[in-house]
Amino acid sequence: MRNPIIGREKELAILDKLIVSNQAEFLVVYGRRRVGKTYLIYEYLKEKIVFSFSGSFEASTQQQIGNFFREYLRITEGKSETETPKNWETAFSYLTDYLYNLAPGQSKVVLFIDEMPWLDRPKSGFITALEYFWNQHVSKMPHVLLITCGSAASWMKKKLLKAKGGLYNRVTSRMKLEPFSLAQTALFCKHRNLHFSFYQMVQLYMVMGGIPFYLNELSRGKSVTQLIDEICFSPNGLLYDEYEQLYYSLFKQADNHIAVVEALAAHPHGLVRSQLVKKSGLPDGGTVKRTLDDLIESGFIKKFLPFAKKQKDSIYRLVDQYSLFYLRFIRDNKAVFNTSWQAISSEPAFLSWSGYAYENIWLLHLSNILKKLGIQGTIVKISSWFHKGNDEIPGAQIDLLINRKDGLLHLCEVKFSNKEFIITKEYVGQLRRKRAVFEQVTQTKKAVVTTLLSTYPAIQNKYYLEEIHSEVTMEDLF
């Protein structure tokens, strides 16, 4: 009996379509580590998988081939080849013979190769052997669905999805598995019989994002504060030492990726490339480009184009909630005896972090904003904006702009609060100045309005009614 798959309806629809296809299929599944790729494939297709094999981190080519062969012996019960293959070409030829001996049934059989980037060692010949395996044999087997999976998203795209050699344009379907949204997180909690309010789930999301493997650590009968303490600040907690393992298991030159992540963590509103090069200490050029591509494809950072700017002015921002939380609180508190989240969350540093983390949540749920504003069918551009300031016009920063083609421009103001927010005379003055600076500097012809992105609905006093055009609340994220 299948375990229920929570929050993956679109992905399950893709798998269902491929399983009933009348041709050979080659599916590439990718996404960041811990997002649930392997679980999805095994749990949903386990009755159809006739061969599965996973690459091992930093294992030699011969070790990988040896592991492959052991799985081959298991499915053939040692009744076929008994000599360990010397290379990948021979290993795949064994598997080819096995597939030809399978009588095509009414539905497809599945070959599942997990953590494929780890198999592509220097001079291993793996990609060449895979090319021949698919092109010469599997592509002619309508009863076979080949699924390849990996966490190093940039490798998956370069070597499979955008391959220039024998695998060029061979992939028949692709699936990028994203972290859970808040709505999917709520479904997950409901399935686990975990009872949290919207505000509590937002708090948890700010710490660990929508990573199913992390969310699986949540248990019943404990407060959010207790759970964060256990999972993040206890030496036995999953997220206490996850940070470096996360990057070193994904990237071959993980020190470069960590340098970029930590530079961005120190500047949560983001950096342009030239600033990022300087802050990270990496040499400008191909190294930085590859590192940024890796982190973007794997979902750790996002690239935003500022309003009315060119691509060279793009801002890179860290949006991985766990990395931001770890670098802000866990790492520096490991040496503090008897530290607790309850104590940390009462410090001023909590307020600044919560603002950045809550902004990230909105950046990751843009479709919810558009839906609440009733403009999901309107052509929009999402951007940010920054003015350094000069003798005439003061500086201002807007982290989220919604530029509508129909002539309206939303300046989004994010406000994280544990209760209803009250807009004061002073605060409304700040909002007006920010809007005035934007209009003056950009000389935009569009109507500019202020949209509040809050937790609980703000109290609609006279200052609210004077300045706030629209409001989207935490509840709209679910």
Side-chain angles (χ1 to χ4, degrees), residues 214-477:
Y214 300 165
L215 296 171
N216 204 45
E217 292 294 294
L218 302 175
S219 56
R220 297 174 60 191
K222 296 178 181 178
S223 69
V224 167
T225 299
Q226 287 177 309
L227 289 169
I228 293 174
D229 268 331
E230 288 184 4
I231 298 169
C232 300
F233 294 97
S234 167
N236 295 320
L238 174 67
L239 300 185
Y240 187 77
D241 283 323
E242 165 78 356
Y243 175 72
E244 290 192 351
Q245 297 176 29
L246 178 62
Y247 291 98
Y248 281 108
S249 65
L250 273 177
F251 308 115
K252 291 181 180 179
Q253 296 178 308
D255 288 341
N256 294 338
H257 301 79
I258 290 173
V260 168
V261 166
E262 296 188 357
L264 292 176
H267 298 83
H269 285 298
L271 296 168
V272 298
R273 178 175 168 137
S274 59
Q275 294 171 322
L276 188 50
V277 168
K278 183 178 179 180
K279 299 290 184 182
S280 66
L282 298 180
D284 199 359
T287 297
V288 169
K289 184 182 185 306
R290 286 191 297 272
T291 302
L292 292 175
D293 288 345
D294 284 345
L295 291 169
I296 291 171
E297 293 293 348
S298 297
F300 292 101
I301 68 176
K302 279 190 176 293
K303 181 180 178 182
F304 297 94
L305 182 64
F307 182 79
K309 295 289 185 178
K310 297 180 179 180
Q311 284 293 334
K312 66 181 182 64
D313 300 309
S314 294
I315 291 175
Y316 297 88
R317 176 168 175 149
L318 177 63
V319 294
D320 183 66
Q321 301 288 68
Y322 166 66
S323 296
L324 184 62
F325 183 77
Y326 176 88
L327 294 169
R328 190 67 187 87
F329 296 113
I330 301 176
R331 183 173 66 177
D332 292 341
N333 280 287
K334 285 185 175 182
V336 180
F337 178 72
N338 205 27
T339 188
S340 73
W341 179 237
Q342 184 173 2
I344 294 170
S345 60
S346 64
E347 297 174 355
F350 169 79
L351 294 177
S352 60
W353 163 80
S354 62
Y356 302 139
Y358 194 50
E359 285 175 11
N360 276 347
I361 288 180
W362 287 106
L363 292 172
L364 296 169
H365 291 77
L366 293 171
S367 61
N368 296 72
I369 302 176
L370 302 183
K371 181 178 180 181
K372 178 58 184 295
L373 296 177
I375 57 173
Q376 61 266 50
T378 304
I379 297 175
V380 300
K381 287 185 178 179
I382 305 298
S383 61
S384 60
W385 181 78
F386 173 75
H387 175 61
K388 187 176 182 180
N390 51 45
D391 293 339
E392 295 181 0
I393 304 175
Q397 180 163 322
I398 301 165
D399 290 306
L400 179 57
L401 280 166
I402 302 175
N403 185 5
R404 295 164 51 167
K405 193 174 183 180
D406 60 3
L408 201 63
L409 205 158
H410 296 261
L411 305 189
C412 296
E413 183 74 9
V414 179
K415 206 66 185 176
F416 179 77
S417 175
N418 62 1
K419 56 187 176 182
E420 291 180 325
F421 179 60
I422 300 176
I423 295 181
T424 63
K425 181 179 180 180
E426 179 184 5
Y427 185 66
V428 80
Q430 294 172 6
L431 295 179
R432 286 173 181 159
R433 282 192 294 274
K434 184 183 290 189
R435 181 162 54 85
V437 169
F438 175 81
E439 291 173 331
Q440 178 65 29
V441 173
T442 64
Q443 292 293 298
T444 181
K445 304 299 182 183
K446 293 190 174 183
V448 181
V449 297
T450 300
T451 293
L452 186 64
L453 308 179
S454 59
T455 44
Y456 299 100
I459 293 176
Q460 296 191 18
N461 58 20
K462 69 172 185 176
Y463 300 117
Y464 178 101
L465 297 173
E466 287 174 3
E467 180 61 24
I468 304 302
H469 171 272
S470 49
E471 183 178 9
V472 189
T473 68
M474 167 181 65
E475 188 171 347
D476 298 311
L477 296 171

Side-chain angles (χ1 to χ4, degrees), residues 35-49:
V35 81
K37 302 180 298 298
T38 303
Y39 178 85
L40 172 67
I41 300 303
Y42 270 123
E43 285 301 319
Y44 198 66
L45 298 176
K46 58 186 174 184
E47 296 175 356
K48 299 182 181 296
I49 296 175

